Amino acid sequence: KAGVTQTPRYLIKTRGQQVTLSCSPISGHRSVSWYQQTPGQGLQFLFEYFSETQRNKGNFPGRFSGRQFSNSRSEMNVSTLELGDSALYLCASSLVATGGSGYTFGSGTRLTVV
Amino acid sequence: EDKVVQSPLSLVVHEGDTVTLNCSYEVTNFRSLLWYKQEKKAPTFLFMLTSSGIEKKSGRLSSILDKKELFSILNITATQTGDSAVYLCAGLDDKIIFGKGTRLHILP
């Protein structure tokens, strides 16, 4: 079966712009969570969606937002980009909320802010 | 504040050696501990540990959880160059908290 698909794979944006990243979960998975990975901070939890509702949110500013559609696909939006937002953004899907069955990760979107 | 701490941060060993990676956690409402292997981009799931003292095994990899002392270890025996990766530990309550990982490099 198809894995978790993230698009685009690479993205270069300018400070102040906004960006939208997409994540398609494994078929049948209803939970999608998002993470930011940087060399200094490691993998940090952004938020999790389950059945179109945000269940949990990490400690990120309001510039980071997301949503989930009825087909479980999810998008993440970052507004007013800053240089420090340069990172690998990973999403993961699971059957149930909060990864009770383990998370499956996508290959990520590498965002560079210049 | 919830946190997961992994040690060592990096490790270099020779092929055939056995390694032990450590993970300690302070997670409110702890439910499970997860181990992942990250080679390039997508972390791949290794183990989920929920019960204390029960070892989980998959080939040369094994892991155990101690809920009293709040730690877990990941063992890799007879290491191979393909085991070179970053190993991530994560605590799960109503969200997932990752450690910063252990970067393991296996020399041929």
Side-chain angles (χ1 to χ4, degrees):
Chain A
K1 60 182 177 183
V4 178
T5 303
Q6 290 189 246
T7 57
R9 292 186 62 190
Y10 301 93
L11 206 48
I12 300 175
K13 289 285 188 178
T14 306
R15 266 185 308 173
Q17 286 187 312
Q18 75 165 20
V19 66
T20 299
L21 312 181
S22 178
C23 174
S24 294
I26 289 174
S27 178
H29 284 195
R30 293 167 63 191
S31 170
V32 174
S33 50
W34 288 90
Y35 306 84
Q36 181 194 67
Q37 189 172 33
T38 59
Q41 297 299 319
L43 249 177
Q44 293 185 284
F45 171 76
L46 281 156
F47 30 66
E48 179 181 20
Y49 286 87
F50 181 79
S51 294
E52 302 178 65
T53 301
Q54 186 180 91
R55 292 196 76 252
N56 290 298
K57 192 175 190 307
N59 297 322
F60 279 82
R63 299 185 296 107
F64 292 82
S65 64
R67 58 178 175 169
Q68 187 179 34
F69 302 96
S70 58
N71 62 357
S72 294
R73 189 178 72 84
S74 177
E75 287 183 348
M76 188 191 91
N77 185 77
V78 187
S79 62
T80 320
L81 284 165
E82 301 177 359
L83 295 178
D85 296 333
S86 295
L88 178 66
Y89 289 89
L90 292 162
C91 81
S93 74
S94 64
L95 271 171
V96 297
T98 328
S101 56
Y103 294 90
T104 302
F105 282 83
S107 294
T109 294
R110 171 77 61 187
L111 172 65
T112 302
V113 181
V114 297
Chain B
E1 183 182 332
D2 292 343
K3 62 180 178 180
V4 173
V5 178
Q6 293 185 245
S7 64
L9 289 179
S10 66
L11 190 55
V12 181
V13 300
H14 287 279
E15 209 168 18
D17 288 349
T18 293
V19 297
T20 298
L21 309 184
N22 304 296
C23 174
S24 64
Y25 63 91
E26 293 176 26
V27 176
T28 312
N29 302 317
F30 174 84
R31 292 167 48 195
S32 302
L33 189 123
L34 306 171
W35 283 97
Y36 284 87
K37 176 183 181 182
Q38 187 175 27
E39 293 178 82
K40 290 183 179 176
K41 285 189 175 180
T44 53
F45 176 77
L46 294 174
F47 298 111
M48 173 183 279
L49 302 153
T50 304
S51 300
S52 197
I54 298 176
E55 185 181 49
K56 291 213 170 179
K57 293 196 73 169
S58 176
R60 297 177 293 102
L61 278 66
S62 64
S63 183
I64 197 161
L65 176 68
D66 186 328
K67 291 171 80 170
K68 183 179 177 185
E69 300 297 330
L70 306 183
F71 79 89
S72 174
I73 60 171
L74 175 68
N75 278 319
I76 309 174
T77 59
T79 52
Q80 302 171 357
T81 54
D83 296 327
S84 295
V86 175
Y87 289 84
L88 296 165
C89 166
L92 191 65
D93 56 6
D94 58 355
K95 60 187 180 301
I96 187 168
I97 305 107
F98 279 92
K100 294 195 176 179
T102 293
R103 184 173 295 277
L104 176 63
H105 185 62
I106 311 296
L107 298 171

